[in-house]
Amino acid sequence: MTVERQKCGGPAGRVRHGGSDWLTGSRITAVHGVFYRPEGRAGEPEAVEFVLAGGQSVLLTCAFDRTLRVTPGAWPRLPDWCVPASQWQHAPLGQVPPAPYGGAWTVVGTRERTDGNGEVREAVIRCAEGDFVIAAGDTVTVRFDRS
């Protein structure tokens, strides 16, 4: 997973210098989808934002080629590409359980699944209580697999 820098946000979590353990040790306090509102909540999110303790966030978005991009988020602001902003919203994801006792999931590791060209298609954020699995496609899909 590569954390790219964007103008709109600061670094999220630790800067990754290789391997896919860049989020290990972080505490996730909330998980929100970024939805295009005219489609309503019935649609899949265009991105998913993991809010970290301390106010930083990580944004996972699928690109036009169905690869997964991981960038610093700008929580609670919407990403810059949400134009016009009045047509977009953050919303909790129904398939993600409430945060565990203590109010956060602690990340114990991350891994990425790539295609034959080495492009990231799926990211797994491993926590003690289970794994967040984020996959790129036409939209982003998110599921939580309990341990």
Side-chain angles (χ1 to χ4, degrees):
M1 218 175 312
T2 303
V3 177
E4 300 170 356
R5 298 259 181 219
Q6 289 182 336
K7 290 184 237 175
C8 65
R14 295 179 217 178
V15 176
R16 187 172 91 75
H17 297 288
S20 60
D21 62 351
W22 56 272
L23 200 55
T24 300
S26 296
R27 292 178 38 86
I28 298 170
T29 59
V31 181
H32 294 280
V34 177
F35 291 90
Y36 184 58
R37 285 177 37 185
E39 294 179 3
R41 285 290 315 273
E44 294 292 325
E46 300 297 323
V48 63
E49 191 153 9
F50 287 85
V51 181
L52 307 178
Q56 295 178 322
S57 65
V58 176
L59 185 70
L60 290 91
T61 311
C62 57
F64 68 93
D65 61 356
R66 295 181 171 215
T67 58
L68 195 60
R69 299 287 183 247
V70 182
T71 58
W75 179 260
R77 293 187 330 264
L78 289 165
D80 287 342
W81 48 262
C82 293
V83 177
S86 63
Q87 298 285 318
W88 296 83
Q89 75 177 49
H90 280 111
L93 299 170
Q95 61 272 39
V96 174
Y101 182 75
W105 294 274
T106 299
V107 179
V108 296
T110 58
R111 69 177 184 267
E112 54 196 36
R113 295 181 181 141
T114 58
D115 62 15
N117 297 322
E119 297 289 335
V120 177
R121 301 294 177 168
E122 184 177 85
V124 179
I125 300 173
R126 302 189 68 221
C127 301
E129 299 79 15
D131 298 342
F132 290 99
V133 180
I134 306 96
D138 288 333
T139 58
V140 175
T141 59
V142 181
R143 72 177 191 269
F144 186 80
D145 293 339
R146 295 199 183 272
S147 300

